[in-house]
Amino acid sequence: TDEHIAQSHAAMVMHSLNEAGWICRLAQIPAGENSKSLDVISGLYDHLVDFQADRHTFVIAVGGGVVGDAGGFAAATYNRGLPFVQVPTTLLSQVDSSVGGKVGINHARGKNLIGAFHQPVGVMIDTSVLNTLPDRDYRSGLAEVVKYGVILDVEFFEQLEQNIEKINRRDPSILRQIVARSCRLKADVVEQDEFERTGLRAILNYGHTF
């Protein structure tokens, strides 16, 4: 299942860190938007307390957008802020939610109403994990990629049109290119309007309503 794949990715990251001498603890949250809740965050706080986490403790969020949002919010709010790293494992999270520093959870009356701006100290992207994505999830991420071409970069849009076959078969070389370009385009906007005060960052919402 998708959840087992995500657990496998997290276990590999943890194994690598242990091999490098890091002391790690793994906390897992259920898949889906329901995990962006105060109850789930409270459970993550419990893990951090048991781990005796302090401001030298890194939170590493391995998974899709929900994991990044929830893990990032826990990092932003525990002990007045812990450093965290994003390791996004879906195309959508690689090109969108892992870049920009917006973390948060949902409220009964609205999505992402409780949150913070908390920039990760790094975003580690391995496009090979996209080989395990179901087609539906892969294509939803591609929609976000196309958006960047439409709103910001006509040459990038043309590149996507010229490489449809490679993109559909998840060719590693083209995936690295489109992920890198998407991240650069979003970062360019975020750098100019990190806290959504000038209105520029609103262009990144293009298509969300539909």
Side-chain angles (χ1 to χ4, degrees), residues 80-100:
R80 296 184 177 87
L82 303 179
F84 90 112
V85 174
Q86 292 267 26
V87 184
T89 58
T90 65
L91 182 56
L92 184 57
S93 62
Q94 288 184 358
V95 302
D96 182 36
S97 59
S98 66
V99 180

Side-chain angles (χ1 to χ4, degrees), residues 33 63-66 69 88-99 111 125 129-130 133 136-148 175 179 182-183 186 204 208:
E33 279 287 313
V66 168
D69 283 354
T89 58
T90 65
L91 182 56
L92 184 57
S93 62
Q94 288 184 358
V95 302
D96 182 36
S97 59
S98 66
V99 180
K111 181 178 169 67
I125 294 176
V129 302
L130 302 179
L133 274 187
R136 178 182 175 88
D137 293 333
Y138 180 67
R139 289 173 181 169
S140 71
L142 285 178
E144 196 75 9
V145 170
V146 171
K147 177 193 81 173
Y148 289 119
L175 278 180
V179 169
S182 297
C183 289
K186 180 166 185 180
L204 297 174
H208 283 30

Side-chain angles (χ1 to χ4, degrees), residues 91-204:
L91 182 56
L92 184 57
S93 62
Q94 288 184 358
V95 302
D96 182 36
S97 59
S98 66
V99 180
K102 289 168 68 174
V103 298
I105 57 176
N106 301 327
H107 185 274
R109 296 187 181 182
K111 181 178 169 67
N112 294 329
L113 287 183
I114 305 169
F117 291 97
H118 189 57
Q119 293 290 350
V121 297
V123 180
M124 310 296 228
I125 294 176
D126 180 356
T127 54
S128 69
V129 302
L130 302 179
N131 294 329
T132 62
L133 274 187
D135 283 343
R136 178 182 175 88
D137 293 333
Y138 180 67
R139 289 173 181 169
S140 71
L142 285 178
E144 196 75 9
V145 170
V146 171
K147 177 193 81 173
Y148 289 119
V150 172
I151 65 174
L152 290 169
D153 189 340
V154 66
E155 291 183 5
F156 181 49
F157 186 82
E158 291 172 351
Q159 180 190 9
L160 295 173
E161 287 189 311
Q162 293 163 8
N163 289 278
I164 290 174
E165 184 181 346
K166 285 185 177 180
I167 292 170
N168 281 335
R169 70 168 187 261
R170 311 188 195 193
D171 179 271
S173 62
I174 195 67
L175 278 180
R176 287 192 293 271
Q177 292 178 43
I178 65 175
V179 169
R181 186 60 186 155
S182 297
C183 289
R184 181 67 265 167
L185 289 168
K186 180 166 185 180
D188 286 344
V189 173
V190 171
E191 286 168 3
Q192 297 176 68
D193 187 20
E194 181 176 358
F195 301 108
E196 293 188 330
R197 289 174 180 155
T198 70
L200 174 62
R201 192 162 173 167
I203 66 170
L204 297 174

Side-chain angles (χ1 to χ4, degrees), residues 9-22 24:
H9 292 324
M12 286 189 290
V13 171
M14 188 170 177
H15 175 73
S16 296
L17 291 169
N18 284 331
E19 289 285 300
W22 291 62
C24 305

